[in-house]
Amino acid sequence: MKKTLLLLLALLLMAAPVYAGPSSVPNGPWLKDTQNMKLERLHNYEELVKRLQQIEQNSHGNLELETIGKSNEQRDIYLAKVGSGSKKVMYITQQHGNEPLTTEAALQMLDRLSSSNHPDIEKIRQEVTLSVIVRANPDGTERFWRYNYDPDANPEYGSAGKGYDINRYHDPALSPGENPVPESAAIRRAYDKYQPDLVVDYHHQGTYVDEDGKMIKTSVFWPSHPDVSRDAIKLSKQTSVLIYDTLEHYGFANVSQYPGGNYQAIARNAYGLLGSGSVLVELRGGIGQKSSGMLIRTAYASMFSVLESVAEETLKEVDPSRADAIPERGEYIDGSE
């Protein structure tokens, strides 16, 4: 099953264009400070809602769409559920409004996963219940900034007069009713409802290179808080290794270990503390229009590889100790040369 689906992913990658630019390998393309990322090909809020509804209509009942909360500007926050299996996985995209491409990957993944009659896809739906919070931060996305929108915010993490950094308000000790960030509270309510065994949170980072000067395309990390259980750490590391192997082997990305901290209210640590496997996936950021297709394919490949391995129960066979050997992320570069 895995060979079939990943071969299709590899063929998609081969069709992607290659570009050149300044000083890393591969180079560019670069988004300069004077440029704006072109957003025409990305879904705005109204288009996202329409697309999710279309996917639900075309799914033959395989996908259920629900709202899990509202933003401060009263935009619905959507969760799409596919499958009915006992193995439970949750994906979260776009907690930060200016990190859009994993949402696009999730839409493509949900479309295929819910509409295809391929036996391997049907196997995933039978074995796995997948919940996807698609664009957790709709207000920030409309402004293309990191935070949610809350002009009254005076946050510890965020920007006064703008809003909160959603990914700093998942403290397990904080109930949804006490949370000042409606988007974080909605994610927590969805987590409590579906009780996923594994949570994968998708983001973008800046542009980095490894020690050989090769551009880092993806970074992964697991919970680092000292109170996360051994079982949660094991599953998190196994998932990180699986993503590393998939992306490296099929040429989708040069993968590094993300240098994350121990703060318990970051989603990666919070959902580990609540007992789930929890993985952060950071795609390259600082992006321009030309590189977006490749990054969407990278996120798409990681999403499907995790589902396949969970469905086949091969994730249990992955050696978690290999996670510590994933190369550390290297130097930050801005492409200004």
Side-chain angles (χ1 to χ4, degrees):
M1 169 177 159
K2 182 174 293 185
K3 290 182 178 179
T4 301
L5 292 177
L6 287 178
L7 177 59
L8 292 173
L9 292 170
L11 291 172
L12 282 173
L13 180 67
M14 291 170 63
V18 178
Y19 302 94
S23 60
S24 66
V25 182
N27 293 313
W30 300 98
L31 185 69
K32 307 296 184 182
D33 291 339
T34 56
Q35 290 177 292
N36 292 315
M37 181 179 177
K38 295 181 180 179
L39 303 180
E40 289 86 351
R41 68 173 291 175
L42 305 179
H43 291 77
N44 65 24
Y45 177 74
E46 289 77 14
E47 292 166 344
L48 175 73
V49 173
K50 182 178 179 180
R51 182 66 184 128
L52 285 170
Q53 292 172 344
Q54 288 174 339
I55 293 172
E56 182 181 36
Q57 292 169 4
N58 294 334
S59 73
H60 311 292
N62 291 322
L63 183 143
E64 298 176 17
L65 195 61
E66 65 179 280
T67 58
I68 58 173
K70 288 184 178 292
S71 67
N72 282 320
E73 292 189 306
Q74 298 303 298
R75 292 184 175 93
D76 288 325
I77 301 167
Y78 284 91
L79 180 146
K81 183 172 74 70
V82 182
S84 57
S86 61
K87 308 173 183 77
K88 293 175 288 184
V89 176
M90 176 175 283
Y91 292 157
I92 305 169
T93 76
Q94 217 171 342
Q95 288 201 68
H96 296 142
N98 58 350
E99 299 174 1
L101 298 184
T102 59
T103 292
E104 302 301 319
L107 290 173
Q108 293 182 19
M109 183 269 303
L110 286 168
D111 187 18
R112 184 170 182 223
L113 185 64
S114 64
S115 63
S116 174
N117 293 322
H118 192 286
D120 294 346
I121 299 293
E122 290 183 342
K123 171 75 170 178
I124 292 174
R125 292 198 297 259
Q126 292 166 2
E127 297 291 332
V128 180
T129 297
L130 172 67
S131 303
V132 185
I133 299 173
V134 187
R135 186 171 290 167
N137 184 2
D139 293 354
T141 301
E142 293 303 292
R143 291 166 173 80
F144 204 62
W145 69 31
R146 179 179 180 89
Y147 319 108
N148 76 344
Y149 177 68
D150 189 342
D152 297 325
N154 187 19
E156 181 179 6
Y157 297 98
S159 181
K162 283 188 171 183
Y164 294 90
D165 184 335
I166 292 174
N167 197 28
R168 300 297 183 272
Y169 290 88
H170 295 275
D171 191 333
L174 191 65
S175 72
E178 300 169 323
N179 199 321
V181 184
E183 297 86 355
S184 303
I187 295 169
R188 175 61 187 276
R189 284 193 298 269
Y191 175 88
D192 290 344
K193 177 179 179 179
Y194 289 106
Q195 293 290 298
D197 306 303
L198 174 65
V199 179
V200 186
D201 183 25
Y202 283 90
H203 289 261
H204 289 287
Q205 60 187 342
T207 300
Y208 295 83
V209 295
D210 63 18
E211 60 182 10
D212 296 323
K214 293 175 61 179
M215 186 185 294
I216 298 295
K217 295 294 186 67
T218 307
S219 297
V220 294
F221 202 42
W222 45 90
S224 53
H225 192 283
D227 294 337
V228 177
S229 70
R230 289 184 178 181
D231 286 344
I233 291 290
K234 179 181 179 182
L235 179 56
S236 304
K237 286 189 171 184
Q238 287 173 316
T239 305
S240 298
V241 171
L242 173 73
I243 293 172
Y244 173 84
D245 285 347
T246 298
L247 299 183
E248 288 278 346
H249 180 73
Y250 288 93
F252 282 94
N254 186 26
V255 185
S256 75
Q257 186 179 144
Y258 187 84
N262 298 341
Y263 182 48
Q264 70 181 31
I266 295 172
R268 167 178 52 84
N269 288 320
Y271 297 113
L273 286 165
L274 287 168
S276 298
S278 183
V279 175
L280 170 70
V281 177
E282 294 264 3
L283 300 185
R284 178 197 167 202
I287 51 179
Q289 185 79 351
K290 293 180 180 178
S291 60
S292 60
M294 178 67 73
L295 293 172
I296 290 170
R297 289 182 178 92
T298 300
Y300 179 95
S302 73
M303 290 173 180
F304 257 110
S305 68
V306 170
L307 295 177
E308 292 159 13
S309 191
V310 170
E312 295 177 335
E313 300 191 343
T314 55
L315 186 58
K316 298 176 181 178
E317 301 170 8
V318 175
D319 180 3
S321 68
R322 291 183 51 222
D324 296 315
I326 295 174
E328 294 183 0
R329 197 182 66 180
E331 178 185 2
Y332 173 79
I333 53 176
D334 63 9
S336 61
E337 296 179 1

